[in-house]
Amino acid sequence: MASLYNFKKIEPVPTSSDFVDIILSKTQRKTPTVIHKNYNIGRIRQFYMRKVKFTQENFDEKFKNILDEFPKLEDIHPFYADLMNVLYDRDHYKLALGQINTARHLIDQVAKDYVRLLKFGDSLYRCKQLKKAALGRMATVMKRQKDSLAYLEQVRQHLSRLPSIDPNTRTLLICGYPNVGKSSFINKITRAEVDVQPYAFTTKSLFVGHMDYKYMRWQVIDTPGILDHPLEERNTIEMQSITAMAHLRSCIMYFMDLSEQCGYSIEDQVKLFHSIKPLFANKPIVLVINKIDQVKIEDLPEEQRKWIEDIAAEENATVLTMSCYNDEGVMSVRNNACDKLLAARVEMKMKGNKINDVINKIHLARPQQRDNVARLPHIPAETKTRVKYDKNDPNRRKLAKDIEEENGGAGVFNVDLKKQYMLEDDEWKYDKIPEFLDGHNVADFIDPEIAEKLEALEREEERLEAEGFYQSDEEILDDEEEILRTAADGIRDRKKLIVQAHRAARGRTRPVLPKTAAAKFSTVSEMGEHLESMGIDATDAAERTRTAAAGRKRTRNEALPDQAVKDVDVRERDEALTEEMSNLGFRNVKQKLEADKQKKQGQKPSALMGKRGESDRQIQTKMPKHLFSGKRGMGSTDRR
């Protein structure tokens, strides 16, 4: 059930110190923080004026939210207004909101005054001191609202715990002396779970339960017990019940305990009814006699029974009996109370002025007699003479159901829907309905002999294939073309043989190093063998090379292999390196060095940012605490 008022959405009210901290920290975060004495004086004034105005706007916004969210007693339903008066004291509540509104105007005036003074500030120091004084006066105004803010926070917490009561919906209101079975009844008929104990005033506040009756949602309100004494002497718990009975449009269910186990006599319970009777004006009343498993009305003396009868007669109250202990009559009491409330609500609407607006929109048409001719209903003669249908009669007329059973029953037999068509000619009933596409009858474009034509076409295709119509003639070549083609095939075969022989003679299939690269890794012996194969004496050249190399330290690559290594037939180092580079995907050692160089260049950006690699996404600490924290000096903490 949607409640008319939702007090749970009110935001928490901070304390005065927290209020100041919230506003000043927001000013610090949302406004510029850097200013210099060498700046233009206009810029300095604007800097501090902005801080004062921003602080005032934040205070104003927070105060306005508080004033708008808390309910105004003049605008809400009288039930909630009186309930808040009972719980929180109307004067105290309005005074607290008034104090907040006054503080809001004071802070606005402080900001206006100091902004006017800041316009005449002649130095950075003067402007800074004016800003400091403005914020200080605002904080002082806030500290004076300490008690009002604390009170409003307590009210907000209590309001959020109040049950959601709709004052205008269908309501059953349970009232009576303490411990007469009110909470037990609401637990029986609704989903509420109200605490039930064998002592008085177990229920200290209003409890609401909801139920459904006649496809409508109802709310049932359990009120605290009330005693028979003057209104001025009632406490807060009892006044909640009085407020609910006075303002809620509901069905009053007054509970009585004839067994007197509640601790109050029947006479006291009757007196209480007459005491609060003025609150029941224009409301349906149900007098519920509870605990009939202990004492029934018939068991009472004549005098006490007459008291109950007088209530029923004078107040037009309905007397119902039940027992929550064994559930006897519980649902009957609920249904009677709901029906009585519905009837009362309809009667009240009929008496109101709103019904006239509705009646004006309704026109009831009543036919007038046209002439004196009697127009009696026409009954066909066949209907009068028709024999009543009897399933066991073999000569009975056959119905559609009989036809269905004869043809396989439901799921097998299809009803002939065209049988009932009313056409000029009955032969038209089963004609095929033409299909239309783009405004044309599809049947007009269908060739009825299409199947025969297709068979004739297939027979013709088979005949042509059998006669060899689709077979292509072999290419006929003359003598010269045939000689040229044979010569070309012979040349291609000879070329393939030469390539294979050349590769076999070289004895290797891997890529060959260029001469410029191979020269770096060649030895003196290889050079001598190459020159001798060309028919040139290589003795002098080899001697000059060895003499030139004797004057410098040999590199690892130039060092000749040890004799012991040669004895075990180990390949020289350059051959091993070349093969290793080949296995790694490089053509030679130079190519690998170039790749390593490019790899290091690619790692430089990551290394400059302190990253471990391309996949390192970690954001390092911008300002390490051990470098930027320390004890403050003895000077002032006012940095601006």
Side-chain angles (χ1 to χ4, degrees), residues 3-5 7 71-85 90 165-169 171 219 243-250 283:
S3 176
L4 191 61
Y5 305 103
F7 299 132
K72 295 180 176 58
L73 300 182
E74 294 80 10
D75 298 340
I76 61 177
H77 194 276
F79 164 68
Y80 276 113
D82 280 2
L83 185 62
M84 292 180 68
N85 182 31
R90 178 195 300 266
I165 298 174
D166 189 350
N168 301 316
T169 191
T171 306
Q219 67 179 3
T243 303
M245 287 186 286
H247 294 289
L248 294 180
R249 297 170 54 190
S250 61
K283 297 174 186 174

Side-chain angles (χ1 to χ4, degrees), residues 17 48 66 90 104 112 142 144 151 228 294 300 303 434 485 524 565 630:
S17 58
Y48 287 108
I66 293 174
R90 178 195 300 266
R104 173 187 170 196
K112 189 182 297 183
M142 277 307 308
R144 292 174 184 166
Y151 168 76
D228 185 18
Q294 300 293 327
L300 294 177
E303 183 182 2
R485 181 166 292 184
V524 176
V565 177

Side-chain angles (χ1 to χ4, degrees), residues 6 15 91 102 128 160 188 259 262 270 312 321 372 376 387 395 408 411 422 424 435 459 468 559 587 605 614-615 626:
N6 188 1
T15 62
D91 296 336
T102 303
K128 179 179 178 181
S160 65
K188 293 285 185 183
S259 66
C262 60
V270 172
T321 60
N372 296 326
L376 300 176
V387 181
N395 298 323
M422 300 174 65
E424 293 181 5
E435 297 183 11
R459 287 195 299 270
R587 185 177 292 123
E614 293 181 357
S615 62
H626 68 282

